[in-house]
């Protein structure tokens, strides 16, 4: 069954209607719970007085969101505005030196915010991995990079390296771990690309330009060195048609989304409610299922906005940064599940695709996924929740391949070939429905807590069976069909169906055709030409 398999229009309209009604119903339950529980003792630390115009309390449970768009908003805007200003001046006067200006400004910004000892620590890691890259042994670069990354995940190395940071401010741990972690990943990308280079080595100055590019330094996303090197050293800085219009439009959209999310924080406490297990045990099934779903949607929105703001700045620098993560609403296969496209691209390029090949062999796929999630565990920090999350997602990714292999053999392949494309799409959507909720539950585990994920799973599969289970799965089935319809339309845009070939103008007609329609074979005479003759 291809992506272009179509369903009747009335069926698609029905799926959209069911989905909209279900979303509205779940939202009303969460709004009711948020309104009635605003004054609970467990909510005092995370639900505080909000905007005066609404007269309601506002949820402040997400530290990252507050840091970006409330507490340290002015500092971040000031730093990024300075980068844009100096980058624009350099691009106008000396575009060949713009990468050097990016590095100098980023180095000074890191020095100002974290101190010279922190800069020294970062430089020491860069020099270490650069020295290893000169040997051009791929596995040695990997081992060195992973061991260096592990020093930020275990004692006593954490405390010793944290002593290099000067000052005591709220963002100190965030800047420390973010800057160091992304530095190691960037240095590993540089080292691995240097191993692939056949003629000579990259200059260490190129590594410093790559690492100290300020918009990517603390919070990412990660752009692999090969892409960054080509784009940042490009001398032709002419923009495409309407490119600046699109950059400004994305900036306005991000601003609108920030305002909308802040408004919704006054009405739906989706992050605070899951922390109160006593309250959740008394919630309806729809409220619990809606909470699990909206938690993932919010995390995607947060990642899309934060990376989107950074990407807007980098696009002003004539770079093509990693795209925002794919919305959780559009995910129903484990192979596309990620919340950071930069890290995902890095892992796919250097680990998953390198070891998995074409991802057709079961053993190679197993080795590739184990290694990929092993590095992911080290990146996130080994703990019980991360280990369980990695195991479940690793199993889900491999199970997809096993299932695909199983149903590709006889007699299942013949069954699918015998049925229509529309029926094949419907049957596949049924299997994708269970896959979707596996993805939701596995990632709720990482974003919230193990207790919340277990409570949602029990209510959905055990206590709510069969009524809640069947209704939720049917609504999810409608969602999958809506997603597939959008994918079908996009596939038709990207790869339109070829038009049928036109008949040749002088094609010989059959005797039957000539006998039945003799006038059609004769050319139409022009009255003016006939008169002239």
């Amino acid at each position: 069954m291809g992506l272009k398999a179509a369903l009747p229009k009335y069926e698609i309209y029905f799926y959209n209607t069911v989905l909209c009604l279900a979303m509205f119903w779940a939202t009303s339950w969460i709004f009711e719970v948020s309104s009635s529980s605003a004054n609970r003792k467990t909510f005092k630390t995370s639900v505080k007085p909000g905007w005066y115009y609404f007269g309601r309390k506002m949820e402040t449970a997400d530290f990252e969101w507050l840091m970006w768009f409330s507490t340290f908003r002015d500092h971040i805007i000031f730093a990024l505005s300075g980068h844009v200003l100096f980058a624009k001046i350099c691009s106008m006067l000396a575009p060949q030196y713009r990468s050097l200006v990016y590095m100098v400004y980023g180095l000074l910004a890191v020095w100002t915010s974290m101190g010279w000892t922190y800069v020294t620590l970062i430089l020491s890691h860069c020099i270490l991995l650069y020295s290893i890259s000169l040997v051009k042994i791929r596995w040695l670069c990997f081992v060195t990079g992973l061991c260096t990354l592990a020093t930020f995940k275990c004692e006593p190395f954490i405390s010793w390296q944290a002593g290099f940071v000067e000052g005591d401010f709220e963002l100190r741990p965030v800047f420390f771990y973010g800057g160091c972690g992304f530095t190691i990943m960037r240095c590993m990308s540089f080292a691995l690309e240097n191993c692939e280079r056949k003629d000579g080595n990259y200059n260490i100055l190129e590594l410093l330009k790559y690492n100290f590019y300020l918009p990517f330094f603390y919070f990412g996303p990660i752009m692999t060195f090969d892409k960054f090197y080509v784009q940042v050293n490009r001398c032709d800085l002419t923009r495409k048609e309407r490119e600046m219009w699109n950059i400004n439009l994305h900036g306005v959209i991000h601003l609108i989304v920030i305002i909308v999310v802040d408004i919704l924080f006054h009405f739906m406490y989706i992050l605070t409610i899951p922390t109160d297990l006593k309250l959740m045990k008394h919630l309806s099934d729809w409220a619990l299922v809606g909470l699990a779903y909206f938690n993932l949607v919010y995390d995607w929105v947060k990642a899309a906005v934060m990376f989107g703001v950074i990407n807007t700045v980098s696009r002003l620098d004539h770079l093509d940064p990693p795209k925002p993560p794919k919305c959780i609403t559009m995910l129903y296969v484990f192979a596309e599940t990620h919340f950071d496209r930069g890290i995902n691209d890095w892992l796919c390029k250097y680990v998953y695709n390198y070891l998995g090949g074409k991802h057709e062999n079961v053993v190679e796929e197993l080795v590739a996924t184990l290694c990929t999630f092993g590095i992911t565990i080290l990146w996130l920090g080994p703990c019980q929740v991360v280990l369980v999350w990695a195991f479940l997602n690793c199993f889900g990714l491999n199970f997809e391949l096993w299932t695909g292999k199983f149903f590709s053999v006889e007699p299942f392949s013949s069954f699918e070939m015998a049925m229509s494309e529309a029926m094949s799409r419907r049957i596949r959507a049924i299997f994708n429905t269970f896959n979707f909720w596996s993805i939701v539950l596995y990632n709720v585990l990482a974003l919230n807590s193990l207790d919340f994920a277990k409570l949602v799973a029990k209510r959905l599969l055990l206590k709510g069976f069969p009524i809640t289970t069947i209704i939720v799965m049917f609504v999810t089935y409608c969602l999958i069909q809506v997603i597939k319809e959008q994918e079908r339309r996009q596939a038709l845009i990207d790869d339109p169906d070829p038009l049928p070939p036109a008949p040749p103008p002088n094609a010989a007609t059959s005797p039957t055709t000539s006998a039945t329609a003799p006038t059609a074979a004769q050319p139409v005479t022009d009255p003016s030409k006939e008169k002239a003759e």
Side-chain angles (χ1 to χ4, degrees):
M1 192 277 293
L3 286 174
K4 300 178 182 178
L7 295 178
K9 287 187 177 181
Y10 66 86
E11 187 174 344
I12 299 298
Y13 293 151
F14 172 74
Y15 293 147
N16 279 282
T17 303
V18 172
L19 186 60
C20 291
L21 292 175
M23 291 292 180
F24 177 78
W25 184 250
T27 302
S28 65
W29 275 100
I30 297 174
F31 171 73
E32 182 180 349
V33 173
S34 301
S35 301
S36 61
S37 307
N39 296 319
R40 290 177 66 92
K41 292 182 179 180
T42 53
F43 283 25
K44 286 185 178 180
T45 56
S46 56
V47 178
K48 297 179 180 179
W51 296 354
Y52 171 77
Y53 305 101
F54 295 110
R56 293 177 59 93
K57 293 184 177 181
M58 178 181 179
E59 185 175 41
T60 59
D62 193 340
F63 170 77
E64 284 184 317
W65 185 270
L66 290 179
M67 174 190 70
W68 267 87
F69 307 115
S70 180
T71 312
F72 295 95
R73 175 186 56 206
D74 298 338
H75 300 79
I76 294 174
I77 292 176
F78 177 78
L80 293 179
S81 299
H83 171 88
V84 172
L85 177 63
F86 283 105
K88 185 62 178 178
I89 294 174
C90 181
S91 298
M92 295 172 61
L93 301 178
Q96 66 272 22
Y97 298 113
R98 63 191 184 103
S99 61
L100 195 62
V101 172
Y102 298 160
M103 183 197 71
V104 172
Y105 182 85
L107 194 61
L108 292 176
V110 175
W111 191 331
T112 303
S113 58
M114 299 293 283
W116 69 271
T117 53
Y118 179 76
V119 175
T120 305
L121 175 65
I122 295 295
L123 288 174
S124 66
H125 287 297
C126 292
I127 294 172
L128 172 63
L129 283 164
Y130 177 77
S131 303
I132 298 298
S133 70
L134 298 178
V135 184
K136 293 199 172 184
I137 300 177
R138 188 182 179 91
W139 68 265
L140 184 60
C141 295
F142 252 115
V143 171
T144 306
L146 295 178
C147 290
T148 308
L149 185 62
T151 59
F152 294 98
K153 307 297 179 181
C154 58
E155 293 290 353
F157 303 104
I158 298 178
S159 301
W160 177 69
Q161 294 183 96
F164 285 88
V165 182
E166 297 177 351
D168 186 16
F169 57 100
E170 191 174 358
L171 284 183
R172 177 177 176 271
V174 178
F175 281 179
F176 174 75
Y177 290 109
C180 292
F182 282 112
T183 292
I184 301 302
M185 301 298 280
R186 284 189 288 264
C187 288
M188 288 178 67
S189 176
F190 174 87
L192 294 170
E193 292 297 336
N194 194 60
C195 292
E196 297 295 329
R197 187 174 187 178
K198 297 180 180 179
D199 51 338
N201 300 287
Y202 290 108
N203 196 323
I204 191 173
L205 187 62
E206 299 297 337
L207 173 58
L208 298 180
K209 292 177 183 177
Y210 173 50
N211 187 59
F212 284 101
Y213 180 67
L214 183 62
F216 294 165
F217 183 80
Y218 285 119
F219 305 108
I222 291 180
M223 179 188 290
T224 55
F225 176 74
D226 57 333
K227 296 180 181 178
F228 183 86
Y229 179 77
V230 171
Q231 295 176 23
V232 82
N233 291 306
R234 187 175 56 212
C235 296
D236 183 15
L237 301 183
T238 56
R239 295 192 182 275
K240 299 178 182 178
E241 186 180 357
R242 297 179 63 85
E243 183 176 354
M244 279 304 302
W245 165 259
N246 291 330
I247 293 174
N248 294 329
L249 179 63
H250 279 84
V252 172
I253 291 175
H254 293 143
L255 179 61
I256 294 175
V257 171
I258 292 169
I259 296 174
V260 170
V261 171
D262 278 345
I263 292 174
L264 291 178
F265 276 154
H266 289 78
F267 298 94
M268 294 169 54
Y269 307 147
I270 58 175
L271 303 178
T272 304
I273 293 175
T275 61
D276 192 342
L277 293 177
K278 292 183 178 179
L279 174 62
M280 286 195 300
K281 291 179 180 179
H282 296 86
L283 297 183
S284 67
D285 296 342
W286 277 101
L288 273 181
V289 171
L291 275 175
Y293 177 75
F294 286 129
N295 263 264
L296 291 183
V297 172
Y298 165 73
D299 194 76
W300 169 79
V301 171
K302 180 177 69 173
V305 171
M306 289 194 298
F307 288 143
V309 171
I310 294 174
N311 290 351
T312 301
V313 175
S314 63
R315 289 175 66 189
L316 291 173
D317 294 335
H318 300 273
L319 298 180
D320 184 19
K323 296 179 181 179
K326 192 172 182 179
C327 180
I328 184 63
T329 305
M330 304 295 291
L331 294 177
Y332 56 87
V333 291
F334 281 91
E336 298 181 359
T337 305
H338 56 267
F339 288 91
D340 185 339
R341 199 181 290 267
I343 292 291
N344 182 74
D345 293 345
W346 192 100
L347 290 170
C348 287
K349 179 179 177 62
Y350 299 119
V351 185
Y352 184 60
N353 293 335
Y354 184 82
L355 297 175
K358 296 181 179 180
H359 305 290
E360 295 177 352
N361 185 279
V362 175
V363 177
E364 290 181 354
E365 180 75 2
L366 180 61
V367 173
T369 52
L370 288 175
C371 293
T372 301
F373 281 101
I375 296 176
T376 306
I377 291 171
L378 185 60
W379 166 253
L380 297 174
C383 63
Q384 181 187 7
V385 172
V386 172
L387 291 173
V388 175
W389 169 84
F391 170 78
L392 293 175
N393 279 273
C394 183
F395 171 77
L397 194 58
N398 282 276
F399 188 72
E400 281 182 354
L401 178 63
W402 302 339
T403 306
K405 290 285 186 182
F406 178 75
F407 283 102
S408 64
V409 299
E410 295 293 344
F412 302 106
S413 58
S414 299
F415 290 160
E416 186 172 17
M417 292 297 294
M419 66 180 64
S420 64
E421 289 190 345
M423 183 56 65
S424 175
R425 170 174 161 174
R426 296 185 185 100
I427 294 176
R428 284 175 176 263
I430 294 174
F431 288 97
N432 294 144
T433 299
F434 297 98
N435 219 30
F436 179 88
W437 272 103
S438 299
I439 294 173
V440 170
L441 293 175
Y442 295 171
N443 288 280
V444 161
L445 168 70
L447 296 176
N448 292 95
S449 64
L450 182 60
D451 294 331
F452 179 54
K454 288 166 60 177
L455 183 61
V456 174
K458 287 181 180 179
R459 190 72 69 86
L460 179 62
L461 302 176
L462 299 178
K463 292 186 178 179
F465 186 83
I467 298 176
T468 301
T469 306
I470 293 175
I471 294 176
V472 171
M473 291 303 171
F474 176 71
V475 172
T476 308
Y477 170 81
C478 297
L479 172 63
I480 300 298
Q481 290 291 10
V482 171
I483 298 171
K484 286 181 177 290
E485 183 63 19
Q486 293 185 3
E487 291 177 346
R488 186 187 72 87
R489 294 179 180 178
Q490 187 62 41
L492 291 175
I493 295 174
D494 297 338
D495 183 22
D497 292 331
L499 296 175
N506 297 325
T509 58
S510 62
T512 306
T513 308
S514 301
T516 55
T519 57
Q522 297 177 359
V524 179
T525 58
D526 189 354
S528 61
K529 187 180 295 185
E530 184 179 6
K531 183 178 180 181
E533 293 176 353

